[in-house]
Amino acid sequence: MLKKRDKAQLFLKNNLKLFQCPVCHNGFESIENYQLLCKEKHQFDLNKKGTLHLMLKSVESEYTRDMLLSRQRIAQSGFWQPLLDSIYPKLQKVDGAILDVGCGEGSHAAYLKDKGITEPLIAFDISKEGINLAAATYSDPFFLVADLADSPFASGQYATLLNILSPSNYSEFKRLLKTGGQVIKVVPNPDYLKELRDLKGSGADTYSNEEVVSKFEEHFSTVHKEKVRYTYKLSKELQADFLNMTPLGWHLDKNLNNITDELDEITIDLLLLVGSNA
Ligand SMILES: C[S@@+](CC[C@H](N)C(=O)[O-])C[C@H]1O[C@@H](n2cnc3c(N)ncnc32)[C@H](O)[C@@H]1O
Ligand SMILES: [Zn+2]
């Protein structure tokens, strides 16, 4: 079996046209000896984990490794599985590369790849911690550190941009999408994690997604909306991870004995938006 770094190099060789240099925005010319080289000879190293750092500066993130590990354990327990199962068939509808924007610790992209995605799948996040953890845990898909605000991906090459609970940048989205491509954006509905919001001390206000949805609708002429709502039985062993995985839980008194019963069943209430680049 190929080492992670060799597997990543092979992926880059086969998919060089999907990327662009973050310095000069030209395409890349070659990947040899784990070195990616653009037409202007800017050079980026593929590290031992098989990931790239295609950002010119590092950014501090509020998500620590500890929090990302909690989020990963929750993801691996199937918390987002019904959501991902409803996204999966939509990915089959448009042929071509898929980009997971703000992939965090990588579980969603890894799950979709595992389920049977055969098109090139790239997942990126601005958080180095997130990408390190993703690449350490999963050998697929291809992970890298990058910033959506100035992304190192080539124009007009992507069939699907996946934007799950992460920020959007519509001018970048339009630049990246090929004709007929789609953005699949997932935003919380008001009842998302309501059991956590209801706990005293979470400090969370009721959430409205109206502004985000109307912004999305401004940018696409066809928008398909789908509600994804289900409940998840949270085991006692995962309660601490659940409280740690989202900023909503960080301010709570962590005396779990007091809140155990209220977190037995968690509501996952999400809105799936699909916008087409017709
Ligand atoms: C709430 S997390 C969601 C992560 C993952 N999609 C999930 O559903 O578990 C939002 C993610 O967006 C990332 N993010 C924020 N700004 C970004 C940017 N400009 N470029 C890339 N990723 C960004 C954060 O680092 C974080 O991992
Ligand atoms: Zn360059």
Side-chain angles (χ1 to χ4, degrees), residues 63-242:
Y63 296 98
T64 61
R65 182 174 158 79
D66 182 52
M67 172 265 166
L68 289 160
L69 273 166
S70 285
R71 199 169 176 93
Q72 189 167 78
R73 284 190 286 265
I74 293 288
Q76 288 172 340
S77 77
F79 193 85
W80 281 286
Q81 203 169 306
L83 166 71
L84 298 170
D85 289 344
S86 58
I87 289 176
Y88 183 74
K90 296 179 170 53
L91 300 176
Q92 321 282 57
K93 285 192 179 158
V94 192
D95 291 341
I98 301 164
L99 185 64
D100 183 1
V101 175
C103 66
E105 47 64 48
S107 294
H108 302 339
Y111 177 83
L112 293 167
K113 180 79 194 172
D114 214 37
K115 205 169 154 74
I117 296 294
T118 51
E119 299 282 4
L121 173 57
I122 298 169
F124 79 98
D125 201 283
I126 201 167
S127 155
K128 202 172 149 188
E129 292 282 13
I131 295 304
N132 281 342
L133 180 58
T137 315
Y138 305 110
S139 62
D140 261 320
F142 184 83
F143 291 107
L144 75 154
V145 183
D147 181 2
L148 174 64
D150 185 14
S151 79
F153 305 104
S155 304
Q157 293 291 331
Y158 290 86
T160 301
L161 304 175
L162 256 184
N163 190 203
I164 305 178
L165 303 168
S166 57
S168 299
N169 180 321
Y170 292 103
S171 54
E172 266 309 81
F173 285 176
K174 295 230 163 107
R175 183 181 72 77
L176 298 173
L177 280 182
K178 69 174 197 172
T179 309
Q182 57 181 352
V183 175
I184 303 180
K185 182 170 179 66
V186 177
V187 296
N189 260 335
D191 281 350
Y192 181 58
L193 311 185
K194 74 177 163 70
E195 295 77 9
L196 180 53
R197 287 167 195 277
D198 287 349
L199 288 179
K200 232 173 102 195
S202 82
D205 293 328
T206 44
Y207 172 79
S208 161
N209 59 24
E210 266 173 48
E211 217 172 293
V212 182
V213 174
S214 58
K215 197 153 184 205
F216 189 91
E217 287 175 325
E218 273 169 32
H219 287 92
F220 298 98
S221 48
T222 352
V223 175
H224 165 79
K225 286 191 216 168
E226 198 173 310
K227 213 173 140 128
V228 180
R229 187 186 169 109
Y230 54 95
T231 55
Y232 172 86
K233 284 238 178 281
L234 184 69
S235 69
K236 292 218 180 351
E237 299 77 64
L238 281 174
Q239 277 200 354
D241 281 330
F242 177 69

Side-chain angles (χ1 to χ4, degrees), residues 239-240 243-244 246 249-259:
Q239 277 200 354
L243 292 174
N244 199 29
T246 152
W250 295 348
H251 310 296
L252 287 168
D253 166 10
K254 296 279 163 60
N255 186 353
L256 288 177
N257 289 335
N258 289 342
I259 54 178

